[in-house]
Amino acid sequence: MAFSGTERRRAEEIVARYPQSRSATLPLLFLVQDRDGWVTPQGIEDVADFLGLTPAVVLGTCSFYTMFKLSPVGKLVVSVCTNVSCLVNGGPQLHEHLRREYARSDDVFIEEVECLAACDRAPALQINYDFHGPLTGEQAVDLIERHRSGELTARTISGTATGGEV
Amino acid sequence: MSTDAVRMSQWPSEQPYVIPVAPGPDVATVTIDGKEVQVPRGELLIKVAQDHGTYIPRFCWHERMKPVGMCRMCLVEVEGMRGLQISCATPVTDGMVVHTQSPGVKAAQDGVLEFLLVNHPLDCPVCDRGGECPLQDQTLAFGPGESRFVEEKRHFEKPIPISETVLLDRERCIQCGRCTRFASEIAGDALIHFGGRGSGTEVMTYPDEPFSSYFAGNTVQICPVGALTASPYRFRARPWDLDSVETSCQQCAVGCRGALESTSNRLVRLLGVDLDPVNQGWLCDRGRYAYEWVHSDARVVTPRLAREGGLAEATWPQALDAAAEALRRARDEHGPDAIGVLGGARGTNEDAYAWARLAKGVLRTDNVDAQLDDGLPAEVVLGLPRASIDDLDRAAAIVIVGSDPKETLPVLYLRIRAAAEAGVPVVDVSTHDNGCTPFAACSLRHRPGEVATPVAALAEVLGGRTTGSDADRLAALVADRDGPVVVVLGRPSLAEPATAAVHAAALLAAVPAVRFLPALHRGNVHGALDLGLAPGLLPGRVTLDAGRAHVGAVWGGVPAARGLDARGILAAAADGRIRTLVLLGCDPLTDFPDRPLVERALAAVGTVVVVGAFADAAGGHADVVLPTTVWGEQDGSGTNLEGRVQRLARKVTPGGAAMEAWRIAGELAARLGVDFDLELTAEVQDEIARVAPAFAGVDAAVLRRARDGVVLPLVDHADEIAWGPAPLGAGVSWEPIPAGADAEPVPADAEAAATPTGPPAPPVALWEWRGPAEPAPTVPVDAYALRVVAARTLYGADRAVLESPSLAAFAPRDAVLLVSRTDRDRIGVADGDRVRVTSARATVELPVVADARIPQGVAFLPANRAGAGIGDLVDPDAAVTDLRVETLR
């Protein structure tokens, strides 16, 4: 499987922004992440193939960045800050609460992150890279559920509005 | 904010992402630790310091790669600049004042090493690198005396194989990026890369895609710690038990310089030595690990004679008498033409010369050929103007015709790739995509057997005689570039005669400023041809007629007329016209393209004398076996494809009773009534310098003192010679800290003062060839057939690979037919399915595999594979070979 016609046109547009095609590695990885829900081996091979790089180089680059998920994460990525301001305001407890709540969920992925630069809203979290806070455990679960039900719309798991467009 | 972002993304990024290194013509005056030196402006500080005797410690910087500034070990203080600077990425400017040993620098070195050692396991006692490890050495020289780190070290699964021969220990890795940079920057095989980040950073391959680079072994050599180890050497020796000599690899005709190391009389390792005009420190894996075959159990080390029930051991006098008697009987009863000598391309120059003298001077037969019908005619190879490998870097254009240097001459491929990266346009003329295609400025494709067609057009463009859009594009690439046009000329396919390639050579020879690098691959094939192991030629690149008086004066005579080449010799043997056949260190059964002819010849010929290391070279037909010493067991010299004569060194004592091939020639000559009067290698070298015109002046004394060897003829290259012995190990690429790091550079050898006054010119004008050549016939295309291209791959069923366990373990051996995907689908089979293949000559069954590099209508047969293959299918007399392919149903 390689890029579809639409994907290929999109990829060409992205590559055209840079003097060297290699520079398009990250935006193309977002493209395949949004396509497949995570950065699959197929996605890596597609990007490598399109840019004329080896899969090893694309995987190596990809693995540097935490916003690329190399295993399935579902539809919502919830990033809970446990750095200093959030730490003293209950960030770890918030993280633990969500982790237990969604331990068996396939479409909500809870992760612990370093400072989100949202100390004024501590404890803060991001749902698909949109900021929320301060939140208690129950408020956070409620917010996530409203995203799940479709009442609220989030960005994609890559943090893009429509997928692939960064 | 957003405006900035847009502007950033549209920023014309002419700027490379690494520090540009372009030492200009301007001179800068720099003061390093109080010593004022004149250096090229723009050169890197670390290099300048090293060249002037100040060693700045480093891990990531490597002289042959771009700087990256990852390890921070090379920090120095530059007056006027804030903070410490990494000297590996600081170009020198005029008036710079640098301190490499100030208290601030020492504190920084101490700190960097302490950080590097935090994550390093310090398992030196069980590490291959222990004893020759830059991290160990630099910690001792520049680091903290003891560790403050008391916590548990990190642990990884180890070692993990990242290729067939390279093992990775992630705990030891200090993330200098030498291996990953080598893979992408030098080898062009970016199959390893850093993954993860921070303390989790590790070198990784893509899952299921191992680091299968022909050059993977170099990463082990340049790793500054024991993170990468090579399975063939792992735990075989400790560095302090190794004994080392400098020699040249003889696996192909590039002749890469290396340090050959042994312990307890066993070869255990070959390291690349940085010989600037040749290999620049690199080796291919075949060269690196093929020392193993020297210790093969299959070698014959005592003379053998055919007795009832097979070969039986004999004494040297018995075997030599039998061989001499067979030669004399053939000559006396049937004339000199009843003797044939095949091979000699794997020996030393001395071996080649002595055998040429025995065959042509004593026996007077000209049926001598070092090539096995798999190269180019010797007249063409020796008669074309020769390029040097360094010419690639200064060429106006590089034209690759009829060879895939990556498969047959791997380190030459690295040099071509480096030249292409530096902007030299490469034109790749081939039947299919090959190793050089990815960086070729222009790829010309032709049908098998028709290489002269695109070459004719190319020669017009390069000669400036034609215009047109494509021609203009190509001409524009070459225009404004001074320098020679370097043609790498090989045999396009073993499934066709050399006619088309010779025609192509003649067309290109008319291009102004053209020079050739003949892409013959066998180790010392150029030495053998230069020394007369080819029909019609005498030692020193002269023909029989031109050299008759000069060479004959020493030899007492030379053959009357041109003799037969390898194909002619074997055909004559099969017909019974050749009575005694000598196989001089060659394997015609595997290497000669027409195997049935070899089998007929060996069965028909009266006496087969095998002079070599393997008794089965003649199948079961050997009558006398005279065991020879091989590479690593004998001193001498070898000649590479640019005509560079380099010393070859003996490292281990030969097993059994093996003797040098040149000594065997002398013994046989003595039994035939001629005393060569040659006792020492140096005496042979002196005789070569006296007798062979191209070797004029290249005597033993010069060879001993010319550090990088001598390019023939000496008269044209005398000023390139670097006099004086190389300090052993100084050129080895992992850069051991030189003794007395801040001492003056070692003064040139005292002998250097005694440069010969004016090199002697060849006493006989050397042979020149510029054509004419006959065009090869064009055969109409059969739309239902595939036209064959047969060529060698680096690994295959070659003796050196099969007898080297580390290489044999993963080398592909079985014959296969590579076709385009379209053709495979048209045949209607899956990859690996066996099909019935029919040529005009035979029908065989072969597995078929689709390969994206092969164009439609072409079938690629790797030539060095076991089983049914080109030996059966190809009719060597036909202009091309077409195959019909059917499914087995």
Side-chain angles (χ1 to χ4, degrees):
Chain A
M1 189 174 73
F3 282 151
S4 70
T6 329
E7 286 162 356
R8 178 163 288 274
R9 274 192 297 282
R10 192 102 155 252
E12 275 161 6
E13 276 168 30
I14 293 171
V15 168
R17 292 186 211 156
Y18 305 96
Q20 293 174 354
S21 65
R22 186 190 171 106
S23 309
T25 307
L26 298 189
L28 290 190
L29 281 167
F30 279 125
L31 191 75
V32 296
Q33 175 162 272
D34 283 332
R35 180 188 72 183
D36 300 338
W38 54 291
V39 183
T40 58
Q42 184 62 54
I44 286 175
E45 285 157 33
D46 287 350
V47 173
D49 199 36
F50 189 78
L51 296 176
L53 301 171
T54 59
V57 169
V58 177
L59 174 60
T61 308
C62 175
S63 64
F64 184 86
Y65 299 97
T66 52
M67 278 175 77
F68 293 123
K69 307 298 182 193
L70 287 163
S71 53
V73 289
K75 294 189 183 64
L76 294 174
V77 173
V78 180
S79 317
V80 188
C81 174
T82 56
N83 215 295
V84 182
S85 301
C86 293
L87 173 71
V88 296
N89 283 295
Q93 291 80 356
L94 177 61
H95 173 249
E96 188 57 22
H97 181 84
L98 293 178
R99 206 178 57 78
R100 284 171 193 276
E101 190 72 28
Y102 292 103
R104 275 187 290 276
S105 167
D106 282 339
D107 50 304
V108 178
F109 178 76
I110 309 294
E111 64 181 5
E112 185 181 2
V113 295
E114 298 300 337
C115 186
L116 292 169
C119 302
D120 56 320
R121 305 164 89 170
L125 56 73
Q126 289 179 322
I127 298 175
N128 283 3
Y129 305 101
D130 282 332
F131 285 100
H132 302 279
L135 292 169
T136 63
E138 289 70 30
Q139 287 170 325
V141 170
D142 180 53
L143 190 62
I144 293 168
E145 289 306 317
R146 283 162 68 197
H147 277 95
R148 280 180 100 181
S149 66
E151 185 189 335
L152 292 173
T153 40
R155 296 196 265 177
T156 70
I157 56 157
S158 299
T160 59
T162 52
E165 206 50 63
V166 281
Chain B
M1 191 73 190
S2 61
T3 333
D4 277 348
V6 170
R7 197 176 302 145
M8 283 296 283
S9 71
Q10 291 170 345
W11 200 20
S13 137
E14 294 303 308
Q15 302 175 355
Y17 63 99
V18 290
I19 315 297
V21 193
D26 303 343
V27 170
T29 305
V30 185
T31 310
I32 301 172
D33 294 339
K35 196 169 78 177
E36 206 175 274
V37 291
Q38 310 282 320
V39 299
R41 194 159 77 193
E43 181 60 282
L44 294 172
L45 191 47
I46 194 170
K47 168 91 171 106
V48 164
Q50 175 176 296
D51 290 349
H52 290 86
T54 301
Y55 183 87
I56 299 173
R58 81 293 295 257
F59 295 109
C60 68
W61 185 71
H62 188 282
E63 229 178 303
R64 295 289 178 189
M65 296 194 282
K66 290 177 196 155
V68 62
M70 283 182 87
C71 74
R72 322 305 291 181
M73 190 62 208
C74 65
L75 288 166
V76 294
E77 195 179 318
V78 180
E79 284 184 14
M81 291 175 86
R82 225 181 99 223
L84 300 175
Q85 304 297 317
I86 43 172
S87 57
C88 74
T90 307
V92 293
T93 53
D94 200 27
M96 211 176 226
V97 180
V98 183
H99 303 282
T100 72
Q101 321 234 347
S102 67
V105 171
K106 283 185 185 272
Q109 290 170 342
D110 201 270
V112 168
L113 275 166
E114 187 170 14
F115 268 121
L116 287 177
L117 293 176
V118 159
N119 277 332
H120 192 80
L122 295 172
D123 57 348
C124 311
V126 294
C127 176
D128 264 0
R129 233 345 161 228
E132 57 174 18
C133 172
L135 181 60
Q136 213 177 26
D137 293 347
Q138 297 190 25
T139 301
L140 193 67
F142 306 100
E146 55 187 65
S147 175
R148 292 183 288 174
F149 189 80
V150 294
E151 292 78 5
E152 179 78 8
K153 302 252 177 185
R154 44 181 202 163
H155 296 287
F156 288 115
E157 181 196 342
K158 67 183 226 177
I160 52 170
I162 57 170
S163 85
E164 295 84 353
T165 51
V166 181
L167 298 161
L168 168 66
D169 182 326
R170 292 168 292 177
E171 294 174 4
R172 293 179 187 154
C173 178
I174 59 167
Q175 282 96 37
C176 68
R178 276 189 175 191
C179 56
T180 53
R181 284 183 292 141
F182 172 83
S184 61
E185 204 177 300
I186 306 288
D189 300 320
L191 299 170
I192 49 173
H193 199 269
F194 280 129
R197 67 151 85 167
S199 65
T201 309
E202 57 183 77
V203 173
M204 46 131 240
T205 59
Y206 192 64
D208 308 326
E209 196 170 291
F211 183 35
S212 292
S213 169
Y214 286 165
F215 308 99
N218 292 298
T219 61
V220 177
Q221 184 174 337
I222 62 177
C223 179
V225 293
L228 296 176
T229 46
S231 51
Y233 172 74
R234 199 173 156 80
F235 304 139
R236 294 291 158 87
R238 304 311 321 249
W240 51 87
D241 289 333
L242 291 173
D243 197 22
S244 193
V245 295
E246 215 186 278
T247 191
S248 288
C249 173
Q250 294 284 285
Q251 281 299 309
C252 79
V254 176
C256 299
R257 208 67 183 152
L260 182 60
E261 306 191 314
S262 72
T263 178
S264 309
N265 204 39
R266 258 191 107 74
L267 301 177
V268 291
R269 185 162 75 167
L270 182 68
L271 291 174
V273 164
D274 195 330
L275 186 62
D276 185 68
V278 182
N279 60 319
Q280 304 190 336
W282 312 125
L283 296 176
C284 70
D285 280 7
R286 175 164 171 172
R288 187 176 293 272
Y289 302 125
Y291 62 82
E292 289 178 350
W293 78 273
V294 172
H295 299 297
S296 162
D297 290 337
R299 271 188 62 188
V300 57
V301 290
T302 46
R304 306 279 168 101
L305 281 174
R307 301 262 162 74
E308 266 180 53
L311 289 168
E313 285 195 15
T315 63
W316 269 111
Q318 287 170 335
L320 288 166
D321 287 346
E325 179 53 30
L327 292 168
R328 179 183 325 162
R329 205 172 49 237
R331 180 189 64 182
D332 293 350
E333 291 175 12
H334 306 281
D337 291 346
I339 299 169
V341 179
L342 269 188
R346 292 203 181 109
T348 62
N349 284 355
E350 294 71 24
D351 294 339
Y353 173 77
W355 273 90
R357 182 170 174 190
L358 174 66
K360 300 197 173 185
V362 178
L363 297 163
R364 302 285 159 81
T365 176
D366 198 48
N367 298 334
V368 177
D369 200 348
Q371 300 191 79
L372 298 178
D373 198 32
D374 55 355
L376 297 165
E379 288 95 339
V380 177
V381 173
L382 298 188
L384 289 167
R386 193 74 66 94
S388 69
I389 297 177
D390 270 350
D391 282 341
L392 294 167
D393 295 332
R394 45 182 174 250
I398 300 170
V399 180
I400 299 165
V401 178
S403 82
D404 185 351
K406 192 173 186 179
E407 298 292 340
T408 51
L409 304 162
V411 174
L412 183 71
Y413 159 83
L414 291 186
R415 294 292 307 267
I416 295 171
R417 188 176 179 279
E421 295 274 301
V424 180
V426 172
V427 182
D428 138 51
V429 185
S430 178
T431 47
H432 58 281
D433 288 358
N434 55 72
C436 294
T437 307
F439 52 79
C442 170
S443 290
L444 305 176
R445 293 288 169 263
H446 61 87
R447 279 199 294 271
E450 298 174 18
V451 65
T453 313
V455 165
L458 180 65
E460 298 265 302
V461 175
L462 292 174
R465 291 196 303 272
T466 189
T467 52
S469 58
D470 286 351
D472 286 346
R473 198 175 68 81
L474 185 57
L477 287 173
V478 183
D480 307 330
R481 294 187 62 88
D482 293 331
V485 172
V486 178
V487 178
V488 179
L489 177 75
R491 174 87 171 261
S493 165
L494 298 179
E496 64 190 50
T499 325
V502 172
H503 186 210
L507 292 165
L508 285 166
V511 170
V514 72
R515 294 184 204 163
F516 290 81
L517 280 175
L520 310 178
H521 77 282
R522 211 161 278 130
N524 195 26
V525 61
H526 292 282
L529 298 183
D530 279 352
L531 287 160
L533 288 183
L537 293 162
L538 289 173
R541 301 185 186 168
V542 293
T543 57
L544 281 179
D545 289 333
R548 191 174 300 278
H550 179 75
V551 178
V554 179
W555 285 8
V558 299
R562 190 182 195 279
L564 303 167
D565 64 4
R567 170 164 303 284
I569 292 169
L570 287 167
D575 294 349
R577 283 178 285 135
I578 281 186
R579 303 302 173 114
T580 298
L581 179 65
V582 178
L583 300 182
L584 182 55
C586 65
D587 293 298
L589 285 165
T590 52
D591 291 356
F592 190 82
D594 188 355
R595 186 182 167 112
L597 175 62
V598 180
E599 283 168 349
R600 285 208 313 281
L602 291 174
V605 80
T607 308
V608 180
V609 180
V610 172
V611 183
F614 294 96
D616 61 350
H621 298 289
D623 296 292
V624 185
V625 179
L626 306 175
T628 58
T629 53
V630 298
W631 178 84
E633 292 178 341
Q634 72 178 92
D635 285 319
S637 58
T639 309
N640 80 351
L641 51 79
E642 57 180 341
R644 181 180 301 273
V645 185
Q646 307 183 90
R647 274 169 304 159
L648 303 175
R650 165 179 165 140
K651 186 69 224 70
V652 289
T653 314
M659 207 192 310
E660 292 99 323
W662 66 263
R663 236 180 253 284
I664 293 173
E667 292 288 337
L668 293 172
R671 281 164 174 75
L672 294 162
V674 177
D675 183 4
F676 280 0
D677 194 21
L678 298 171
E679 292 298 327
L680 301 168
T681 311
E683 290 173 4
V684 189
Q685 289 168 348
D686 287 345
E687 183 167 317
I688 291 172
R690 205 166 63 243
V691 174
F695 286 75
V698 188
D699 57 15
V702 168
L703 284 176
R704 200 168 53 241
R705 284 164 36 221
R707 192 177 62 214
D708 300 348
V710 181
V711 181
L712 301 178
L714 179 65
V715 69
D716 297 341
H717 300 276
D719 52 341
E720 298 161 17
I721 295 180
W723 295 106
L728 183 67
V732 175
S733 293
W734 41 262
E735 306 143 342
I737 301 175
D742 53 357
E744 288 286 322
V746 185
D749 180 51
E751 274 189 278
T755 312
T757 49
V764 179
L766 304 185
W767 165 249
E768 286 185 19
W769 182 91
R770 301 286 184 279
E774 277 181 35
T778 307
V779 182
V781 174
D782 174 356
Y784 296 97
L786 300 175
R787 194 156 281 182
V788 179
V789 175
R792 285 171 184 282
T793 53
L794 186 63
Y795 301 126
D798 302 300
R799 179 81 75 175
V801 173
L802 294 181
E803 300 294 341
S804 299
S806 304
L807 297 175
F810 64 84
R813 296 190 193 181
D814 295 331
V816 66
L817 193 68
L818 302 180
V819 300
S820 69
R821 188 160 299 162
T822 317
D823 284 328
R824 182 203 58 191
D825 293 345
R826 205 173 61 160
I827 299 163
V829 291
D831 279 352
D833 284 357
R834 296 183 77 81
V835 292
R836 183 178 298 117
V837 179
T838 307
S839 73
R841 202 181 210 208
T843 298
V844 299
E845 282 181 22
L846 280 176
V848 67
V849 172
D851 191 311
R853 295 169 301 176
I854 310 297
Q856 224 176 313
V858 171
F860 184 87
L861 267 176
N864 45 350
R865 299 290 166 89
I870 66 164
D872 306 284
L873 291 168
V874 172
D875 179 357
D877 295 325
V880 292
T881 301
D882 284 336
L883 298 179
R884 294 285 182 115
V885 181
E886 303 161 279
T887 50
L888 296 174
R889 269 196 295 268

